[in-house]
Amino acid sequence: MTDTLHTPATAARPSGTVAQYWDRAVAPEVFLDSVEAKRDLWHSYAKRARLHADEAARAEALPGPRRILVLVEDWCGDAIRSTPAIVALADASPGTEVRFLDVGEHPGALDGRTTAGARAIPIVVVDDGEGNELGQWGPRPAPLQAELRRKIREEGRPTAETKGEFYAPVMAWYAKDRGRTVGQELLMLLERTGTA
């Protein structure tokens, strides 16, 4: 199983739950208004977010209420490119609500939610609206995460000088995919029933 899609049974048991942090989190538009880092990019990606018809139909037919908690910080390039698809899914589902939690202000929310042993964002946690966690997603779509891991194994981690060149294919992947994979992977969590 990749780090991108977890169930509570396979992931390390997190200390924080959606219910614990829900009232501290804010609506997407409130978060978007508060961003300071990369503000133009956040607004640009948010304006372009669209669902495909099949994803909208699946979102509309979800089996019950859902809450999506997005653990994020405004400097994160992956969050800028993936969260608009998450918000679009929630907007298409009458029983789904999404909120953003700034982990810079609430670092404990990431406890037990590591990716390959590291704290990475965005992490998206889904529950059934009654506090039963259905799973988590993040920090990147599975195919992109696998490709990035391969690249790190073969080339090593980027330096400050090579960071731009190293991550250029990641940005190109997001631009080509346009949120499609994020939407499909998140729908798998949203469609779950019961706890794992």
Side-chain angles (χ1 to χ4, degrees):
M1 177 169 279
T2 69
D3 292 327
T4 298
L5 192 61
H6 296 284
T7 65
T10 60
R13 192 48 86 178
S15 62
T17 64
V18 172
Q20 178 183 354
Y21 287 101
W22 191 253
D23 290 335
R24 300 178 212 174
V26 297
E29 59 273 10
V30 174
F31 179 81
L32 194 59
D33 285 344
S34 73
V35 298
E36 294 176 8
K38 303 179 182 180
R39 186 174 179 82
D40 291 342
L41 275 176
W42 276 99
H43 285 270
S44 173
Y45 275 86
K47 287 178 188 173
R48 291 184 290 182
R50 301 286 182 276
L51 288 183
H52 289 263
D54 61 323
E55 293 161 350
R58 286 172 64 191
E60 193 172 335
L62 288 172
R66 297 289 184 260
R67 292 190 302 189
I68 303 170
L69 181 64
V70 181
L71 307 177
V72 66
E73 288 190 66
D74 65 356
W75 53 262
C76 179
D78 290 297
I80 291 168
R81 290 159 178 85
S82 61
T83 58
I86 296 164
V87 173
L89 277 174
D91 288 347
S93 174
T96 301
E97 188 176 356
V98 62
R99 291 190 185 175
F100 284 60
L101 184 73
D102 186 324
V103 294
E105 296 174 12
H106 304 281
L110 280 174
D111 290 350
R113 298 191 185 280
T114 60
T115 302
R119 294 166 68 88
I121 54 174
I123 295 294
V124 178
V125 187
V126 176
D127 84 7
D128 65 1
E130 296 179 15
N132 299 307
E133 189 172 317
L134 300 176
Q136 75 179 43
W137 175 94
R140 293 179 187 93
L144 180 58
Q145 186 75 351
E147 177 58 24
L148 191 57
R149 284 214 176 131
R150 181 202 60 75
K151 189 171 182 174
I152 289 170
R153 272 193 317 272
E154 292 176 5
E155 301 176 20
R157 295 201 175 273
T159 65
E161 295 80 27
T162 63
K163 196 172 189 176
E165 180 183 336
F166 185 89
Y167 284 106
V170 172
M171 301 307 112
W173 188 96
Y174 277 120
K176 183 178 178 185
D177 186 71
R178 301 180 68 155
R180 182 76 193 236
T181 305
V182 172
Q184 291 170 348
E185 291 179 352
L186 193 61
L187 275 163
M188 288 191 295
L189 289 180
L190 292 166
E191 291 169 335
R192 289 180 178 167
T193 57
T195 56

